Amino acid sequence: VSESESSVSTFTLGDINIKLTEAESESQPLKIIPGVEITRSLKVTVEPNSEACWLFVKVEETNWSRFPDANGTAKVFYSVDVQKGWIALNDHPGVYYREVSAEDAKTGVEYDVNCNVTVSQMLTKAEINSIASGTQPQLSFTAYAVQRLGIDDAATAWAAANNP
């Protein structure tokens, strides 16, 4: 009888830890004033010892009034600064993503998210006054992370994030 030595395979668990925080210098008042642009600055952190992932930020509107002009152009609108490396996810308004490499996830990495709210000079006082107390416009931000391994595109990753 002949017997080989045992080979033991120990499996570890993959893990992704993220957090979303306001930028510390957030001191600009969030007031809708005609002709004034408001910047909302946040940071998404992938904690050290995480796995390569698809990282998402979702912006959701509550009581968001656009006050369109005669041409249908919104007098109040927001956009996420894509110069910071975020990409708008097609067919999912308000969802932005980026890919996080295994190296960055292992050491930990922080990404800026700048959301700019543009208020047209054509917004009238009557339009501003039409916003009732308790129904002020709000933007909510949520970060999501989905493992990169085995998922080849952001749309598939986003579907996985929303159907756990």
Side-chain angles (χ1 to χ4, degrees), residues 1-96:
V1 172
S2 178
E3 184 177 323
S4 73
E5 291 185 25
S6 294
S7 174
V8 177
S9 297
T10 302
F11 295 88
T12 60
L13 302 175
D15 196 10
I16 304 169
N17 292 299
I18 62 172
K19 68 179 177 181
L20 177 67
T21 56
E22 292 184 41
E24 291 182 26
S25 62
E26 192 70 43
S27 60
Q28 182 181 18
L30 301 177
K31 291 185 179 180
I32 293 177
I33 300 170
V36 174
E37 184 171 288
I38 305 162
T39 300
R40 184 87 167 92
S41 300
L42 301 123
K43 293 189 181 298
V44 181
T45 304
V46 177
E47 299 288 343
N49 300 313
S50 290
E51 301 293 325
C53 61
W54 294 99
L55 189 61
F56 297 92
V57 170
K58 182 177 184 181
V59 183
E60 295 179 278
E61 308 169 3
T62 304
N63 302 324
W64 197 258
S65 300
R66 289 174 173 75
F67 301 109
D69 64 17
N71 297 321
T73 303
K75 294 181 186 177
V76 180
F77 62 93
Y78 74 88
S79 61
V80 169
D81 185 356
V82 294
Q83 299 298 319
K84 297 287 184 181
W86 294 96
I87 302 166
L89 185 60
N90 289 339
D91 302 322
H92 297 279
V95 178
Y96 300 84

